[in-house]
Each structure stands twice: as structure tokens, then as C-alpha cells.
Amino acid sequence: MAGVPVELKGRSFTRVAAWSRDELGTLLDLADELKAERARRPELRILPGRTIGLIFHKPSTRTRVAFEVGIAELGGMALFLPAAELQLARGESFRDTALVLSRFLSALMIRTFDQEEVEEFAEHASIPVINGLTDETHPLQALADAMTLRERFGNLSGLRLAYVGDGNNVCHSLMMAAVRLGVHIAVATPAGYEPNPLIAKSVAREAQKAGIAAPLVTRDPMEAVRGADAVYTDVWTSMGQEAESAARVKAFQGFMVSSAMMAAAAPDAVFMHCLPAHRGEEVAADVMDGPQSIVFDQAENRLHAQKAVLVLLLGGPVDGGSPRA
């Protein structure tokens, strides 16, 4: 396995936009290597003695399990830190918590509501800080999604991706990852549920720099999916929005990804979902469980993508597979 670029060691990963196209490409290449290597050697002890702390303000399945299994397979360990059980719950500042945890840990992952909390931790910590999800972004999911699309199609450049549903954190990170990696993305949302306009403008600027079309944002799901190589959706009601559930179900009528919608996409199109899914709501059961669905490939690739993040940020193998100091 090749050495890790020195400029990535010690960096934080707070949002997709913080990493260049080449850096994201390096990460995806490493994720592919780690996945292939895991089939031969489940334990690849290239991060011995490293410890990642996992702060959770929100529930988690894939993020938590991927980090706990991933760091264990790399020779390190994870420390689960429910936010309610830390002094954060009693008013200790993000700054002080970051400074203290930097004395104990090799890296810190935070899954929370406010993006600014992650950014503040990254500002004050002397260790890498990883965004495990905020209300604004979900960069780890976007990495696994890009990895999965590249596995399926062999190349990302020029692919057409349609996102149908809520213009939420997953949508934001997908948009940025798409333009950084050369994917054409169209987003269909009901009125009032569009992506954050500041993020949409930032993505449009990135698309202009990259020489590709800016993301299409439309209220017509069929316009978005027509000819798409991949059709993606997410739940209509995210964590913390439960009180809005009834209103959202009403607003999103006509946005369920159905077999008819998939038929409008390219003949070899795939269906994607970050999970958990609600069959019969944002996706029809025959699509979710049908032959075009690659949702469980996405879920598996969370492990490999997150392992790649850890190796890049904490220092990975050099010649002969020995760990970087």
C-alpha cells in the first residue's frame, strides 16, 4: 500500500468543500485499497495505539459501527462518548473540551446538530476532527456514495446523478462532492425544501471553476431523473424534525422514487439511499429491494471510506507497511 501524502496528515475533515478534488481522489483510491485488502486480511494494523473519540448528540448506526470496527481493524481503538454523559451537557465549552480531549486522543469524531460546533472543535483541537453528521452536511456519507458510484460505473467524471427529496445535509454534501469529482447532479425538491441557497451558490461557483454545468435545482422529479445514471433519495423527515412529519409527508407527495421514476432514468441506472429508509414513503418497496438498488453497497462502503479518512488523517503506511510516526 502506498504512503499517505504528508499534507493530509493531521488535517480535519469537517465538510467536503474543505478538501480538493485531488485529495478526495486520494481518499477514494485508498478506500478501494483498504476494501480489497480487507478481503485478504481483515486486520491491517497500520494505526497501532491510535484512539478515536466518538461524540454523539444524535443516534447512529453506520457512522458509529464503521468507526468502531474500522479503527479496531487498523490496530487502534474507539471510545464512545455520548454527549449527554460529557461535561458538555453541563456547559463546558467546545474550546475547553477540544483542548482536553486533544491531550488524550489521536482524533475526534463529532455527530451533532450545528455545523459551527464541529468547526469550533476543529479550530481549537490539536488533533484531527471529523464531521460525523450535522444538520448542514454529511461528508462521510458523500465519500461512501462517491466510492460506490465509482465501483459501479468505473469512473465518476460525466456521470449523471439525480437527487429527489429534501434539500438536506446529505443533499448539500452530495452536491459539493459531485462538482468536485466531475459528476453532473440535478436536485428535485418541493417548494420550500430546496438546498440552502448559500451552499447552492458555493456549489455553482465550484462547478464554474471545474468547467461543468451548475447543478439543476427543480421542483419536477421527472425532470431531474430523466436519463440519470443514479437516482438518490433520503428520508423526508430527518432527526430533529419529527414535529414536522405530517406537513412534510403532505409536501413531498409525488416525490417518492417509484419504478416509473426509475424507468425515466438511464437503462442501467442504480437506486441509492443513505439509510435508514421508509418503504412506501420516500421510496417504493420494489425499488428499494429491487435489482437496481445498491443501498447496501453504500452502507458497506461507509466502513472503507471512514477507514481511509482515519489512515489519511492519522498517518498511514510507508514502505513495507510500517506505520508512519
Side-chain angles (χ1 to χ4, degrees), residues 17-40:
W19 284 33
S20 71
R21 177 188 179 117
D22 288 345
E23 289 167 345
L24 293 173
T26 295
L27 192 149
L28 294 177
D29 290 343
L30 179 57
D32 288 342
E33 287 186 61
L34 290 169
K35 183 173 184 175
E37 189 66 29
R38 187 176 191 253
R40 295 187 289 270

Side-chain angles (χ1 to χ4, degrees), residues 62 141 145 170 231-236 271-279 282-283 288 293-296 298-299:
R62 282 150 289 275
Q141 182 64 52
D145 296 336
V170 170
V231 179
Y232 198 122
T233 193
D234 190 8
V235 295
W236 292 343
F271 170 72
M272 305 179 75
H273 194 305
C274 57
L275 302 180
H278 301 112
R279 292 165 177 83
E282 76 272 5
V283 57
M288 175 72 184
S293 177
I294 58 171
V295 300
F296 297 109
Q298 290 173 262

Side-chain angles (χ1 to χ4, degrees), residues 6-311:
V6 68
E7 65 272 13
L8 293 175
K9 185 177 180 182
R11 290 266 297 274
S12 287
F13 186 63
T14 60
R15 57 175 73 232
V16 171
W19 284 33
S20 71
R21 177 188 179 117
D22 288 345
E23 289 167 345
L24 293 173
T26 295
L27 192 149
L28 294 177
D29 290 343
L30 179 57
D32 288 342
E33 287 186 61
L34 290 169
K35 183 173 184 175
E37 189 66 29
R38 187 176 191 253
R40 295 187 289 270
R41 289 189 293 166
E43 291 191 6
L44 188 64
R45 297 181 61 82
I46 56 178
L47 294 178
R50 311 304 207 282
T51 302
I52 180 171
L54 307 174
I55 296 181
F56 286 94
H57 289 272
K58 291 187 175 188
S60 173
T61 298
R62 282 150 289 275
T63 302
R64 178 181 174 180
V65 174
F67 272 129
E68 291 194 357
V69 171
I71 191 66
E73 290 183 351
L74 293 169
M77 63 171 286
L79 187 61
F80 177 55
L81 301 169
E85 297 178 17
L86 298 176
Q87 294 293 348
L88 280 169
R90 298 182 63 245
E92 186 166 24
S93 70
F94 301 151
R95 175 186 180 277
D96 289 354
T97 304
L99 291 172
V100 169
L101 293 180
S102 294
R103 303 292 184 102
F104 299 140
L105 303 170
S106 308
L108 180 64
M109 189 282 319
I110 308 171
R111 184 178 177 94
T112 188
F113 295 90
D114 191 348
Q115 178 75 24
E116 289 308 309
E117 180 178 344
V118 177
E119 303 290 352
E120 189 169 348
F121 265 93
E123 177 185 354
H124 296 294
S126 58
I127 55 175
V129 172
I130 302 166
N131 180 353
L133 173 145
T134 67
D135 289 348
E136 184 179 312
T137 64
H138 197 356
L140 294 173
Q141 182 64 52
L143 294 179
D145 296 336
M147 179 183 179
T148 307
L149 282 170
R150 199 168 73 160
E151 278 182 338
R152 176 56 63 107
F153 294 102
N155 188 28
L156 292 172
S157 184
L159 281 182
R160 297 182 61 189
L161 170 64
Y163 178 92
V164 177
D166 187 22
N168 60 12
N169 52 0
V170 170
C171 178
H172 294 155
S173 290
L174 270 179
M175 290 171 70
M176 183 57 75
V179 299
R180 280 277 161 94
L181 296 168
V183 176
H184 299 281
I185 184 168
V187 175
T189 72
Y193 295 91
E194 299 89 350
N196 181 303
L198 293 177
I199 292 176
K201 287 179 182 177
S202 176
V203 171
R205 287 193 298 269
E206 288 293 326
Q208 186 176 27
K209 287 183 203 172
I212 65 174
L216 168 70
V217 179
T218 177
R219 295 180 185 174
D220 181 358
M222 295 303 286
E223 180 184 14
V225 304
R226 195 168 292 118
D229 299 298
V231 179
Y232 198 122
T233 193
D234 190 8
V235 295
W236 292 343
T237 304
S238 296
M239 290 178 284
Q241 299 172 336
E242 289 77 11
E244 305 172 22
S245 181
R248 283 174 169 269
V249 167
K250 183 177 179 180
F252 281 86
Q253 292 307 302
F255 282 78
M256 180 177 73
V257 178
S258 62
S259 56
M261 198 177 289
M262 291 299 299
D268 60 347
V270 296
F271 170 72
M272 305 179 75
H273 194 305
C274 57
L275 302 180
H278 301 112
R279 292 165 177 83
E281 192 166 294
E282 76 272 5
V283 57
D286 62 336
V287 173
M288 175 72 184
D289 302 314
Q292 291 173 285
S293 177
I294 58 171
V295 300
F296 297 109
D297 294 331
Q298 290 173 262
E300 178 191 345
N301 284 340
R302 289 291 300 276
L303 171 64
H304 311 301
Q306 288 175 213
K307 285 171 73 172
V309 170
L310 290 172
V311 173

